[in-house]
Amino acid sequence: MINKGFIFDLDGVIVDTAKFHYIAWKRLANELGINFTEEDNEQLKGVSRMQSLEILLGLEDVQKSESEKLQFAKQKNDWYVDLIGNLTPKDIMPGAEDFINEASKRSIKIALGSASKNALFILNKLKLNHLFDARIDGNQVAKAKPDPEVFLKGAEALGVPKENCLVFEDAQAGIEAAINGGMKCIGLGNTDILAKANLIVSGMDKITVSQALELLDNKK
Ligand code: B16
Ligand code: MG
């Protein structure tokens, strides 16, 4: 039997933490006098913490020193960690846990491929840690999405050739990372934003493992 792997992004695929990222960035933006909307927040999805800060400051061309930037990123993260402290398994997005369980039962290897440095903290809160054969997060990668590093490391950690791996992503930067790594991907969410994905669905409860495998096996 061919060795196959599914690689899951975390924020926006398994749990909706985007709202908490938004609250924390908005609080920082307010302190800095920067106008920051939910639409602006879309640009931060899947993007690393420091790059997110650069995008936020860039909205109004605000210049800060490197040490100030590190301090702002730490402050935002402290607020964010407070907000996600109450996550429980009830916050798992519909269908995600069942889908991963079913894939495991069918001997598909499961990896996490997240930009977040808080990924393991979140997985533990959701009590999902045990479902993953490999976990690659923002602490293990040097290059952020759309660079494919996080997914290539995921495939390598699973011991599955990258062409036999399927990525599940909610962010444009993540879809591009999968494509840049030569992997097929399923986009979760908005069809306009995720247009480059091989297939787009509105949530993990809208796709079956059989359909995902069909996409992976389709050599086109
Ligand atoms: P942290 P993902 C990403 O997670 C988020 O989508 C993105 O909004 C966030 O800036 C990034 O993680 C870094 O998160 O500040 O917790 O390290 O979607 O790749 O799972
Ligand atoms: Mg995401």
Side-chain angles (χ1 to χ4, degrees):
M1 195 185 136
I2 301 175
N3 202 9
K4 291 179 187 168
F6 285 173
I7 306 180
F8 295 88
D9 173 55
L10 180 63
D11 293 343
V13 172
I14 293 175
V15 61
D16 178 18
T17 44
K19 57 187 178 223
F20 301 122
H21 279 297
Y22 176 63
I23 294 169
W25 283 125
K26 177 86 183 158
R27 190 168 168 186
L28 182 71
N30 286 347
E31 291 208 352
L32 296 173
I34 296 172
N35 185 33
F36 179 64
T37 64
E38 277 193 68
E39 205 186 326
D40 296 325
N41 192 52
E42 281 299 313
Q43 294 179 53
L44 311 189
K45 286 189 180 170
V47 172
S48 72
R49 194 181 307 164
M50 290 312 286
Q51 246 177 295
S52 298
L53 177 66
E54 294 291 352
I55 294 171
L56 183 92
L57 296 174
L59 290 173
E60 296 196 10
D61 215 9
V62 173
Q63 306 292 328
K64 295 287 174 189
S65 69
E66 282 314 304
S67 69
E68 282 173 313
K69 286 181 192 172
L70 286 172
Q71 200 190 320
F72 293 144
K74 184 188 175 306
Q75 175 64 85
K76 179 267 168 181
N77 191 55
D78 288 348
W79 288 327
Y80 175 67
V81 169
D82 266 357
L83 290 165
I84 59 175
N86 293 327
L87 284 175
T88 74
K90 286 195 187 120
D91 294 297
I92 298 169
M93 288 171 90
E97 188 169 8
D98 286 348
F99 185 95
I100 296 173
N101 266 320
E102 171 67 16
S104 284
K105 267 193 231 152
R106 292 170 72 164
S107 303
I108 296 159
K109 303 241 180 75
I110 308 293
L112 182 79
S114 167
S116 175
K117 294 187 172 177
N118 297 298
L120 293 190
F121 176 75
I122 295 170
L123 277 190
N124 281 325
K125 288 272 168 198
L126 302 178
K127 302 203 188 308
L128 289 181
N129 210 336
H130 64 284
L131 290 181
F132 291 83
D133 300 299
R135 297 158 201 83
I136 309 295
D137 66 19
N139 298 295
Q140 284 130 281
V141 292
K143 290 171 258 164
K145 301 168 186 176
D147 189 283
E149 185 184 5
V150 67
F151 297 139
L152 293 177
K153 281 198 166 157
E156 196 187 333
L158 292 179
V160 177
K162 63 179 187 168
E163 52 280 8
N164 292 344
C165 287
L166 181 63
V167 169
F168 296 77
E169 254 293 347
D170 72 308
Q172 203 171 21
I175 302 286
E176 279 167 18
I179 294 169
N180 290 338
M183 297 179 185
K184 284 188 177 169
C185 58
I186 293 183
L188 281 297
N190 186 309
T191 43
D192 296 333
I193 296 175
L194 308 176
K196 289 186 189 160
N198 298 90
L199 175 72
I200 303 167
V201 291
S202 59
M204 292 300 304
D205 55 344
K206 299 291 187 300
I207 176 130
T208 63
V209 172
S210 298
Q211 287 167 329
L213 283 173
E214 242 172 67
L215 178 71
L216 189 56
D217 291 343
N218 180 349
K219 295 295 170 213
K220 272 185 269 170

